Amino acid sequence: MDLPEPRRVTDVDALKALAHPLRVSLVQHLLAVGPRTASECAAEVGSTASNCSWHLRQLAKFGFVERVGAAGGRERPWRATDVGLDVGAFDEDPAVRTQQDALVALQLNEDNRLAQRFLDRQHELPEEWRQAAAMHGYSVNVTAEELTGLLGMIDDILRPYLTPLRTDAPEGARAAHIGLRAFPR
């Protein structure tokens, strides 16, 4: 089964639109949990509904999010338009590279924020979720080609479980974060 790929973002203006801490949090939240209103997003990302609404509109200008479903005069939810984002190989163009670096740094901060929130709240989770959670670090000895292949295999394993793609989630399933970093030491 062919599953959609993450959106590759290489346009400097689109990268600039993404390279903001709140926008990274908003896109990641919508990817994790599906459509939400600006008010619902605000509660999750620690901002105000009006601020989230403004940043969501900025993201919409570049097609990263869109409004969905009319709710009879109520606030309409936003949804991420892609199944994930990929900044691609680091570009030779300094303007693009600067925005890629900024976005990756913000994504690392978001990963760390989510990990710290898990650590702070793990005692509130049911035992089965505490036991299922993991924080692993691996050192592998590979060529660049092997690393590319390994990451492709991991992606193939995870892609069917991505929130925007999974339609058969069993009862009790919930959004979980898996962060992956691979680079030469």
Side-chain angles (χ1 to χ4, degrees), residues 106-118:
L106 290 169
Q107 288 174 324
L108 290 172
N109 288 341
E110 180 67 3
D111 279 358
N112 290 335
R113 181 187 76 82
L114 291 172
Q116 187 61 57
R117 191 175 73 188
F118 162 73

Side-chain angles (χ1 to χ4, degrees), residues 1 11 25 50 63 67 75 94 101 112 115-116 155 178:
M1 148 172 64
D11 175 72
S25 293
S50 61
R67 295 265 196 183
E75 184 181 7
D101 289 349
N112 290 335
Q116 187 61 57
D155 187 71
I178 297 176

Side-chain angles (χ1 to χ4, degrees), residues 31-137:
L31 284 168
V33 300
R36 294 293 186 268
T37 65
S39 298
E40 291 168 324
C41 288
E44 174 62 23
V45 301
S47 188
T48 64
S50 61
N51 194 34
C52 286
S53 183
W54 188 85
H55 284 283
L56 287 162
R57 288 192 308 274
Q58 301 312 302
L59 288 164
K61 289 179 184 179
F62 290 89
F64 295 114
V65 300
E66 66 185 4
R67 295 265 196 183
V68 291
R74 292 182 158 175
E75 184 181 7
R76 287 175 41 206
W78 293 89
R79 76 170 186 93
T81 57
D82 301 290
V83 299
L85 300 172
D86 174 11
V87 297
F90 290 101
D91 205 281
E92 293 299 320
D93 179 342
V96 173
R97 179 64 179 269
T98 298
Q99 294 308 313
Q100 286 175 315
D101 289 349
L103 181 55
V104 169
L106 290 169
Q107 288 174 324
L108 290 172
N109 288 341
E110 180 67 3
D111 279 358
N112 290 335
R113 181 187 76 82
L114 291 172
Q116 187 61 57
R117 191 175 73 188
F118 162 73
L119 291 173
D120 293 344
R121 297 180 180 171
Q122 65 179 313
H123 64 280
E124 299 169 10
L125 293 172
E127 179 66 18
E128 67 183 5
W129 283 102
R130 286 195 306 272
Q131 294 299 319
M135 303 227 184
H136 295 295

Side-chain angles (χ1 to χ4, degrees), residues 8-35:
R8 179 156 284 190
V9 184
T10 56
D11 175 72
V12 70
D13 291 328
L15 287 165
K16 282 180 187 176
L18 275 173
H20 183 283
L22 182 58
R23 293 178 192 173
V24 168
S25 293
L26 287 167
V27 170
Q28 293 300 321
H29 179 60
L30 293 174
L31 284 168
V33 300

